[in-house]
Amino acid sequence: MTVQELPGAAAYRPTPPPAWKPITDPAPLLPDPEPYRVLGTDAIADVEPELLIRLHAELVRGRRYNTQATALTKQGRLAVYPSSTGQEACEIAAALVLEERDWLFPSYRDTLAAVARGLDPVEALTLLRGDRHTGYDPREHRIAPLCTPLATQLPHAVGLAHAARLKGDDVVALAMVGDGGTSEGDFHEALNFAAVWKAPVVFLVQNNGFAISVPLAKQTAAPSLAHKAVGYGMPGRLVDGNDAAAVHQVLAQAVARARRGEGPTLVEAVTYRMDAHTNADDATRYRVDSEVEAWRAHDPVQLLERELTGRGLLDDAALEEVREAAERMAAALRDRMNADPVLNPMDLFSHVYAEQTEQLREQADRLRAELEAEQDHHDQEGGR
């Protein structure tokens, strides 16, 4: 029996739809076919020399920060460190493109972006040290807590940006995520929410090729991650993630667009993680040395140094000054991280609730009594 032969089928026959037109024209939303570049192209003329010089100084500092933090893991001063060596252009551009009133939503690999935005390097590493809380007040620098679960910071960024827009606050949120995070449901929910409500958010995907050991080809069949933006009704931008000037320019345009009330943008920065996923990872199990070496030839620090040197904006003396400043930062970080923190067991009861519960007060009193008894015993033993 066919559908047409079913009793009452005629009554359920749909009428032909009217001429359909898309809600949003997809053409303007599509990313460029190739990653956008500035260094070595005519677009460099639009970049102020002062910005290039500042980007370079921050890149050199960032590279030294990464190597020092990695060394601290080997010395037992950090429990883990997810290095962003090779991705410094994305980290620095994300930090510098924001105004003071804006918010940065980093992932666990984005401590460098937090430091470049003004966060104390030791506070940025406190979570990775295994110390209490996240180590810093998110409101002081408008940097959300470092997010270890993949992509959960993205809906948070959208919620904050949407709330700011409803209040009339001129605020933009920039949310950072890796290519692995785009495989999470939170990524899709955040993009859909942001696009429907035109929330002032910029999503920066640092596509370093691997979600730990899973290559991009096993995560998506899309032409690029930037193409995913079209499905949500927002522009997608594809940029060379090792070209600091290009990343800064694309992010600046996306931030300005969001601030004008035109909604979110998805930016995919194609980059590469030079180091292993973390100090606990053996990257040789899933990638070959020749691949790493090919990306070393496209190192973000060297790319910008060649541009500045070629244009006469950086000489040996200036380069040495930048490197010495980075060494001073690394030395201060090393000294402070090598100092054992002074811990107070009573801090266990701080910041659990705005007002302590009766049970917590009882537990705190019990611990305080035990500590005092232990100290009395120690004093008596010392007096013998």
Side-chain angles (χ1 to χ4, degrees):
M1 180 180 289
T2 66
V3 172
Q4 287 77 13
E5 294 170 340
L6 290 172
Y12 294 97
R13 190 169 297 143
T15 56
W20 180 83
K21 63 183 291 187
I23 297 173
T24 302
D25 181 6
L29 307 180
L30 288 168
D32 294 335
E34 295 289 333
Y36 175 70
R37 295 182 176 88
V38 167
L39 299 179
T41 73
D42 293 340
I44 192 67
D46 297 328
V47 184
E48 294 292 335
E50 292 79 9
L51 175 59
L52 293 175
I53 293 169
R54 185 182 179 193
L55 284 170
H56 172 258
E58 292 291 345
L59 284 179
V60 172
R61 182 172 179 258
R63 176 62 54 84
R64 188 64 186 90
Y65 170 82
N66 270 317
T67 57
Q68 184 58 69
T70 299
L72 288 167
T73 63
K74 298 176 182 179
Q75 298 162 5
R77 288 299 181 178
L78 284 178
V80 65
Y81 183 66
S83 173
S84 59
T85 295
Q87 302 178 211
E88 290 95 346
C90 301
E91 300 281 312
I92 297 304
L96 298 191
V97 78
L98 295 175
E99 301 288 342
E100 186 177 346
R101 63 187 180 277
D102 297 328
W103 275 81
L104 178 71
F105 283 78
S107 75
Y108 60 88
R109 194 178 300 280
D110 302 320
T111 54
L112 174 55
V115 170
R117 184 156 167 76
L119 185 61
D120 182 334
V122 173
E123 292 186 356
L125 294 173
T126 298
L127 175 66
L128 304 174
R129 190 180 195 175
D131 208 334
R132 65 183 183 92
H133 309 301
T134 58
Y136 59 89
D137 179 1
R139 292 177 179 83
E140 182 180 355
H141 296 285
R142 298 209 163 195
I143 302 171
L146 295 171
C147 192
T148 302
L150 292 186
T152 57
Q153 74 274 21
L154 304 187
H156 301 165
V158 177
L160 182 142
H162 181 54
R165 184 167 176 262
L166 292 176
K167 291 173 62 179
D169 292 342
D170 188 18
V171 169
V172 174
L174 192 155
M176 305 177 73
V177 68
D179 50 290
T182 66
S183 297
E184 297 289 329
D186 301 78
F187 171 81
H188 302 278
E189 293 158 10
L191 265 65
N192 192 59
F193 183 2
V196 169
W197 293 99
K198 287 193 173 182
V201 186
V202 177
F203 300 98
L204 172 60
V205 179
Q206 296 179 82
N207 177 8
N208 63 22
F210 292 94
I212 305 182
S213 59
V214 180
L216 185 66
K218 291 188 177 181
Q219 298 182 64
T220 181
S224 74
L225 295 174
H227 277 78
K228 294 180 182 290
V230 182
Y232 299 100
M234 71 177 71
R237 297 295 307 275
L238 186 62
V239 62
D240 182 344
N242 286 19
D243 183 334
V247 180
H248 188 278
Q249 190 176 95
V250 168
L251 289 179
Q253 293 167 357
V255 168
R257 180 177 180 275
R259 208 181 301 281
R260 290 194 301 267
E262 297 175 20
T265 302
L266 175 63
V267 177
E268 176 188 357
V270 182
T271 183
Y272 196 77
R273 166 172 52 80
M274 297 291 191
D275 292 343
H277 174 68
T278 69
N279 51 295
D281 174 41
D282 180 6
T284 62
R285 297 179 64 184
Y286 54 84
R287 65 185 190 185
V288 295
D289 291 342
S290 58
E291 177 180 297
V292 180
E293 290 307 311
W295 276 95
R296 288 193 190 282
H298 196 61
D299 181 282
V301 180
Q302 295 178 11
L303 285 177
L304 192 48
E305 281 186 4
R306 284 199 294 267
E307 182 74 38
L308 290 171
T309 302
R311 298 182 63 190
L313 298 173
L314 183 69
D315 57 21
D316 291 342
L319 179 57
E320 184 61 27
E321 183 179 345
V322 167
R323 289 174 176 170
E324 287 178 355
E327 285 298 328
R328 289 193 296 271
M329 177 276 301
L333 175 60
R334 184 169 58 248
D335 291 343
R336 293 175 64 198
M337 290 295 292
N338 281 328
D340 292 328
V342 178
L343 303 178
N344 183 355
M346 297 306 299
D347 286 344
L348 284 169
F349 304 97
S350 301
H351 312 296
V352 180
Y353 293 99
E355 295 183 10
Q356 282 193 350
T357 64
E358 182 179 350
Q359 186 181 32
L360 274 181
R361 286 195 296 271
E362 291 175 355
Q363 293 174 357
D365 290 342
R366 193 180 309 135
L367 177 58
R368 188 179 296 106
E370 291 177 2
L371 293 173
E372 290 174 353
E374 183 179 335
Q375 184 62 46
D376 290 342
H377 177 73
H378 177 78
D379 292 344
Q380 292 172 8
E381 289 291 321
R384 292 182 180 178

